[in-house]
Amino acid sequence: MSAQLNPYLSFRDNAREAMEFYHSVFGGELTTRTFAEFNASDDPAEQDKIMHSMLEADNGLVLMGSDTPNSMEYSPGNNIAVSLSGDDDATLRGYWEKLSADGTVTMPLNKAPWGDSFGMCVDKFGIPWLVNIAGAGQA
């Protein structure tokens, strides 16, 4: 396998809940490891927090995430957006529905000036998502 680009999301104390949510959206296999499993923190409050998690969806999507240690600054949603794009209308609309539920739609999923369907939302965990469905704007 050559190099691939994977989004890596940072959370503060709710990485497990967030990654389980994304697992419910995308399916596949979710693996999680705690700070304790890596012997990565001397802080007793961090032992059960997620140091690394990886979601590998059956369709090849990969999403990674972790809890930010208490000693590090955390600014949710300010420096990342996750883009989902392709031409599988039904699949992408399904992702959109699940990601935008209990979140905030910042741009409805509609025909874009470039001819595709495009929408933007922020999910219930504060992560911004961009969804582009190629060719779907003609319908």
Side-chain angles (χ1 to χ4, degrees):
M1 168 171 55
S2 60
Q4 67 183 71
L5 181 65
N6 298 315
Y8 202 107
L9 308 176
S10 297
F11 302 94
R12 176 69 85 197
D13 303 336
N14 64 348
R16 182 182 307 278
E17 178 186 359
M19 293 302 290
E20 288 172 354
F21 168 71
Y22 299 133
H23 185 226
S24 76
V25 172
F26 299 111
E29 182 179 347
L30 175 63
T31 56
T32 58
R33 299 290 182 262
T34 64
F35 280 87
E37 289 175 280
F38 283 108
N39 294 315
S41 176
D42 294 328
D43 184 346
E46 293 183 340
Q47 297 306 299
D48 291 330
K49 292 183 184 180
I50 302 302
M51 181 164 173
H52 179 72
S53 61
M54 183 165 69
L55 174 61
E56 296 177 275
D58 296 334
N59 63 3
L61 296 177
V62 176
L63 185 64
M64 298 178 188
S66 66
D67 282 312
T68 303
N70 295 333
S71 61
M72 295 175 64
E73 183 178 329
Y74 174 69
S75 299
N78 288 343
N79 62 348
I80 189 170
V82 183
S83 177
L84 286 172
S85 59
D87 59 5
D88 186 336
D89 189 275
T91 298
L92 288 163
R93 285 184 190 279
Y95 291 159
W96 170 262
E97 293 301 323
K98 292 176 182 177
L99 289 167
S100 61
D102 300 319
T104 302
V105 174
T106 54
M107 179 181 288
L109 183 61
N110 288 318
K111 184 175 181 179
W114 54 91
D116 296 344
S117 285
F118 178 79
M120 299 188 308
C121 68
V122 178
D123 71 23
K124 64 184 179 181
F125 294 101
I127 303 299
W129 292 84
L130 315 171
V131 176
N132 190 89
I133 307 170
Q138 288 81 8

